[in-house]
């Protein structure tokens, strides 16, 4: 059977962070109808997946850990009852303040074995500046507790208000001290339309310079790699065997379903996405109407370009053998010119093409050689 991943989007949050541009809001009045819509969409899409087997599930958001008690358990049962399953990794996202012991017990019963916790910083003044509603002690205590029962990822962001290289290093050190096995480190992106965007534009908030942010990232990267974490993707670090299987399915261009408002999907050579408005999404699903806002059938050339763009994000790079088999071509011959242009930035072998770690910052320029 073909491998399949399932992503479920939960667009509910107790509070909207100032930098967040994802589909989410703080109105829970329709939460039970939304959960029902997720169940209906799962069952509907399962009918097209008889030749597939679900290997990974990811419930993201938003803040899925704020769903009513029992909701996640119900969703897991719908998946197991309607799909062929051999689930290697079942992940849920959450925030420190919403991850109660009762929730933890429900998730274990649901089969969840991986947790991704949004921390971002272990400095309370920075957390307050970006609108987070947890504090340092709450985050570290929660991570320690979760690490006893799950593989745990923590998210942190460099380039935040009040951040410095020393503060970024302190955050990384404190997160690792809790026993986590995976850390995702991102540079702050100030998205148009967010509260932080307007505060920066109006000079109410000062951010580190681009050079300072790079220095923070490099310091964190060096610290993690010197403490048993491998940088297996541009922004992701893990202990051996603890890489995110679900995210690897994206980067490896494996098929996945997108369930919920704004969720994206790649299935049967087509990329689709659902409408972002959760009320309209819920209404349309329950009425048996289409929820698609975008649909495209990828050409062979587009599939090749995606495989290259996503493959080069990984430290192991593009799997040349798989590429040649899937597209019936000779990668080294077809991209001879690009490989020649990029030879100073790439590690080129018969089996793989990867970007040398020191050139990850210019990845987009390197990709242009190929597309």
């Amino acid at each position: 059977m073909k491998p399949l991943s399932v992503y479920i989007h939960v667009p509910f949050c107790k509070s909207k962070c100032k930098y967040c541009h994802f589909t989410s809001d703080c109105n829970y009045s329709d939460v039970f109808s939304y959960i029902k819509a997720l169940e209906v969409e799962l069952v509907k899409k399962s009918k097209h997946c008889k030749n597939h087997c679900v290997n990974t599930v990811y419930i993201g958001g938003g803040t899925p850990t704020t769903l009513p008690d029992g909701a996640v358990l119900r969703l897991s049962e719908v998946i197991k009852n309607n799909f062929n399953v051999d689930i290697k990794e079942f992940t849920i996202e959450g925030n420190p303040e919403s991850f109660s012991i009762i929730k933890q017990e429900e998730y274990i019963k649901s089969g969840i074995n991986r947790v991704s916790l949004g921390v971002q910083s272990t400095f309370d003044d920075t957390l307050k500046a970006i609108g987070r509603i947890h504090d340092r002690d709450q985050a570290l205590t929660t991570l320690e507790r979760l690490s006893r029962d799950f593989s745990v990822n923590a998210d942190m962001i460099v380039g935040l208000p009040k951040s410095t290289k020393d503060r970024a290093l302190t955050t990384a050190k404190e997160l690792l001290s809790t026993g986590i096995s995976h850390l995702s480190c991102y540079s702050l992106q100030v998205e148009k339309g967010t509260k932080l965007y307007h505060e920066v534009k109006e000079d109410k908030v000062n951010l580190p310079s681009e050079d300072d942010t790079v220095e923070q990232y490099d310091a964190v990267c060096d610290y993690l790699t010197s403490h048993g974490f491998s940088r297996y993707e541009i922004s992701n670090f893990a202990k051996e065997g603890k890489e995110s299987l679900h995210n690897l399915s994206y980067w490896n261009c494996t098929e996945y379903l997108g369930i919920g408002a704004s969720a994206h999907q790649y299935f049967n050579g087509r990329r689709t996405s659902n409408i972002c408005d959760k009320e309209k999404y819920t209404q349309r699903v329950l009425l048996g109407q289409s929820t698609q806002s975008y649909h495209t059938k990828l050409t062979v050339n587009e599939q090749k370009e995606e495989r290259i763009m996503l493959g080069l994000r990984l430290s192991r790079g593009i799997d040349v053998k798989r590429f040649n088999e899937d597209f019936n071509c000779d990668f080294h011959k077809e991209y001879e010119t690009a490989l020649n242009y990029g030879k100073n930035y790439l590690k080129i072998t018969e089996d793989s093409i990867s970007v040398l770690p020191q050139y990850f910052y210019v990845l987009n320029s390197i990709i242009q050689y190929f597309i």
Side-chain angles (χ1 to χ4, degrees):
M1 288 186 174
K2 295 180 181 179
L4 182 68
S5 293
V6 176
Y7 174 79
I8 301 173
H9 188 69
V10 176
F12 297 94
C13 282
K14 291 297 184 182
S15 176
K16 186 84 169 178
C17 299
K18 293 182 179 181
Y19 58 85
C20 180
H21 67 286
F22 294 118
T23 298
S24 65
D25 64 41
C26 307
N27 178 12
Y28 284 75
S29 62
D30 59 344
V31 65
F32 290 102
S33 297
Y34 185 82
I35 294 167
K36 180 60 179 177
L38 294 178
E39 295 176 11
V40 171
E41 188 181 9
L42 279 166
V43 172
K44 180 180 179 180
K45 289 187 173 178
S46 71
K47 300 183 188 308
H48 303 285
C49 302
K50 300 305 180 184
N51 295 321
H52 290 74
C53 184
V54 176
N55 297 145
T56 72
V57 179
Y58 195 109
I59 304 179
T63 315
T65 44
T66 62
L67 286 175
D69 291 347
V72 170
L73 179 59
R74 175 60 188 150
L75 290 171
S76 73
E77 290 173 345
V78 172
I79 293 170
K80 292 168 186 175
N81 291 337
N82 290 277
F83 291 85
N84 301 310
V85 296
D86 182 17
I87 299 175
K88 313 289 188 187
E89 181 184 273
F90 192 159
T91 306
I92 190 166
E93 283 185 344
N95 289 327
E97 75 284 348
S98 63
F99 226 116
S100 67
I101 293 176
I102 293 176
K103 295 285 190 187
Q104 189 168 335
E105 292 172 349
E106 177 189 344
Y107 301 153
I108 293 171
K109 189 175 180 182
S110 301
I112 288 172
N113 56 14
R114 188 175 184 275
V115 171
S116 185
L117 207 69
V119 179
Q120 318 316 355
S121 173
T122 57
F123 287 85
D124 289 344
D125 54 353
T126 292
L127 293 171
K128 185 177 180 180
I130 60 176
R132 303 292 286 179
I133 57 176
H134 68 268
D135 60 25
R136 169 190 176 275
D137 291 344
Q138 192 174 36
L140 297 179
T141 299
T142 303
L143 285 171
E144 284 184 5
R145 170 164 51 86
L146 293 175
S147 292
R148 300 186 194 116
D149 292 322
F150 305 96
S151 291
V152 179
N153 169 67
D155 286 347
M156 69 171 288
I157 300 176
V158 295
L160 292 169
K162 305 180 185 297
S163 65
T164 62
K165 183 178 79 169
D166 288 343
R167 281 187 162 213
L169 272 174
T170 296
T171 292
K173 291 176 183 178
E174 292 186 329
L175 293 178
L176 261 60
S177 73
T178 65
I180 63 172
S181 55
H182 190 290
L183 191 144
S184 299
C185 182
Y186 305 101
S187 295
L188 177 66
Q189 301 295 317
V190 182
E191 301 287 349
K192 191 172 183 179
T194 62
K195 189 171 183 179
L196 185 61
Y197 173 85
H198 293 294
E199 289 183 348
V200 170
K201 194 173 182 180
E202 295 167 6
D203 292 325
K204 293 180 180 178
V205 172
N206 293 318
L207 298 177
S209 68
E210 186 175 333
D211 287 344
D212 286 342
T213 299
V214 169
E215 185 179 37
Q216 291 177 34
Y217 196 94
D218 285 344
V220 170
C221 181
D222 290 343
Y223 178 79
L224 292 172
T225 54
S226 67
H227 284 74
F229 283 68
S230 297
R231 186 185 191 182
Y232 71 98
E233 193 270 343
I234 289 180
S235 301
N236 287 275
F237 303 79
K239 290 184 177 179
E240 186 176 356
K242 295 297 183 179
E243 298 84 358
S244 169
L245 300 180
H246 185 85
N247 287 338
L248 281 169
S249 73
Y250 296 150
W251 299 318
N252 288 324
C253 294
T254 304
E255 291 181 306
Y256 60 91
L257 301 181
I259 309 295
S262 79
H264 289 248
Q265 175 171 299
Y266 176 58
F267 188 77
N268 196 25
R270 291 178 170 83
R271 289 207 177 274
T272 59
S273 62
N274 282 337
I275 55 176
C276 292
D277 187 293
K278 68 179 172 70
E279 287 81 11
K280 290 182 179 178
Y281 162 81
T282 301
Q283 183 181 46
R284 291 187 186 181
V285 171
L286 297 181
L287 289 174
Q289 299 172 349
S290 173
T291 59
Q292 284 188 7
S293 65
Y294 171 81
H295 174 280
T296 186
K297 174 75 172 177
L298 298 181
T299 65
V300 171
N301 192 55
E302 288 171 335
Q303 291 179 52
K304 287 181 176 180
E305 289 181 354
E306 284 201 354
R307 188 75 65 87
I308 291 169
M309 287 189 291
L310 294 170
L312 289 178
R313 292 182 62 91
L314 299 169
S315 61
R316 69 188 184 201
I318 301 165
D319 183 335
V320 172
K321 181 180 179 181
R322 180 184 170 219
F323 192 101
N324 290 343
E325 290 176 350
D326 288 350
F327 299 114
N328 191 28
C329 68
D330 184 325
F331 187 95
H332 285 84
K333 286 185 178 179
E334 185 168 339
Y335 296 98
E336 182 179 2
T337 300
L339 293 172
N340 188 52
Y341 276 127
K343 62 185 178 182
N344 293 327
Y345 309 99
L346 299 167
K347 180 181 179 181
I348 302 171
T349 71
E350 192 66 27
D351 299 323
S352 67
I353 310 295
S354 58
V355 176
L356 295 170
Q358 63 267 35
Y359 297 117
F360 270 141
Y361 287 119
V362 292
L363 174 61
N364 289 338
S365 297
I366 296 170
I367 289 172
Q368 293 302 314
Y369 295 143
F370 294 89
I371 63 174

